Amino acid sequence: MRVPRQALLDGLRAFGVAARQLSFKAAADALFVTPSAISHRIRDLERHLGQRVFIRKTRAVELTDAGRALLEEVEPLLNGLDAAVDRAAKRARRRVLRVAAPPFVVTDLLIPSLRSFYGLQPRIELEITTSAAREAGHAAQVDVAILAATAPPAGQVATRLFSPRFVAATSRPVALVARELGPRVFEKQRRIIYRHRAELWTRWFATTGFPLARAATTLHVDTLPAAIAAAEQGLGIALVPTLVCERRLRPGRLVRIADTEIESGDTYFLVHRPEDRGRPEVRAFLSWALAELRR
């Protein structure tokens, strides 16, 4: 006899509790049903298995050999199911929000500003992951994403955040040398190149009129945070976004070597799925991010 999946699950749940308690009544109390319901569920399970799992006595039950073998296999699965339900319930109470953003946005914008978010939303638990700056959308496991694009991503709810401008900057000691050398600075100082936006240097040289010295050495890195860190350490001169590096430029951890700022050609968008617009945690993060990150 084939038993529907829900009936089979009910039967296994009833069996597991009754087997631990060796009592249909105790199982009924634990599952908030009648002893008769427990008996029916286990009888259906036995029909499905084609063998008895309990020996019924007047006031008690005992496991058969088949019942003991089934309990050994089923109990870990039932425990895992209980744990999964508990975790889901805890996530629902915590209101977890999963956010993805490019590395430099995470390190220079989100993390320094999160204290104000938690002050407003102490019950929302954030899970922040880094992602490539340029992506068509965000992954299924992400609730909100910050993406760089030339136009809003199709099929998503996208709100413009900012269009970064880049400036050449380095550590204070290297900046003093650059000030003395002027346009000849790259004869002596290394260019730090963010590999995914290497063309920005070509545009910077064209805009400033600085000559590109053939003898200049370069340092290639694959993330903006790495380029910024290398410039702070005096390893050379990097093109850094003025907006996200504002905290570093103001106290002098980074110093401009020229006033020229160039457009990156990208716009950063705050993106979420249309079906998530009604979730309270999504609305809370969007409201905070639009106020904080635009500022």
Side-chain angles (χ1 to χ4, degrees), residues 111-278:
I111 298 300
S113 303
L114 278 185
R115 189 179 299 277
S116 68
F117 176 79
Y118 285 129
L120 295 170
Q121 303 292 340
R123 293 179 60 83
I124 296 179
E125 182 172 318
L126 294 178
E127 294 181 358
I128 299 176
T129 58
T130 57
S131 63
R134 286 182 164 275
E135 291 185 357
H138 57 78
Q141 67 270 23
V142 173
D143 300 310
V144 178
I146 295 175
L147 306 174
T150 55
Q156 313 287 331
V157 180
T159 305
R160 182 186 180 281
L161 284 175
F162 55 84
S163 296
R165 300 172 66 85
F166 281 74
V167 63
T170 185
S171 66
R172 184 172 295 278
V174 175
L176 293 175
V177 174
R179 188 175 302 167
E180 294 178 2
L181 294 175
R184 296 174 50 247
V185 60
F186 290 102
E187 294 177 8
K188 301 292 184 181
Q189 293 300 324
R190 183 182 296 108
R191 276 186 301 136
I192 301 168
I193 299 175
Y194 170 40
R195 186 173 291 118
H196 302 292
R197 298 309 306 268
E199 79 283 357
L200 291 179
W201 270 116
T202 301
R203 289 165 53 194
W204 186 88
F205 279 110
T207 302
T208 60
F210 277 39
L212 177 56
R214 292 185 179 180
T217 58
T218 58
L219 167 63
H220 291 261
V221 296
D222 64 356
T223 68
L224 263 179
I228 295 166
E232 283 186 327
Q233 294 299 316
L235 297 178
I237 300 168
L239 287 175
V240 300
T242 56
L243 177 64
V244 300
C245 293
E246 186 180 26
R247 292 180 178 86
R248 302 167 191 260
L249 290 166
R250 279 189 302 195
R253 291 162 58 187
L254 284 174
V255 179
R256 302 173 187 235
I257 67 163
D259 292 332
T260 301
E261 295 182 3
I262 59 172
E263 298 282 354
S264 68
D266 283 330
T267 296
Y268 282 81
F269 294 93
L270 190 62
V271 179
H272 67 282
R273 288 179 289 271
E275 60 268 29
D276 288 339
R277 72 173 77 235

Side-chain angles (χ1 to χ4, degrees), residues 1-3 40 42-51:
M1 175 183 175
R2 192 69 184 172
V3 179
H40 283 302
I42 291 175
R43 189 176 297 116
D44 287 342
L45 176 63
E46 289 177 327
R47 290 197 188 107
H48 178 75
L49 296 174
Q51 57 188 339

Side-chain angles (χ1 to χ4, degrees), residues 44-63:
D44 287 342
L45 176 63
E46 289 177 327
R47 290 197 188 107
H48 178 75
L49 296 174
Q51 57 188 339
R52 296 281 185 119
V53 293
F54 285 110
I55 300 170
R56 277 90 167 162
K57 297 186 176 181
T58 304
R59 295 184 178 277
V61 293
E62 291 182 5
L63 285 168

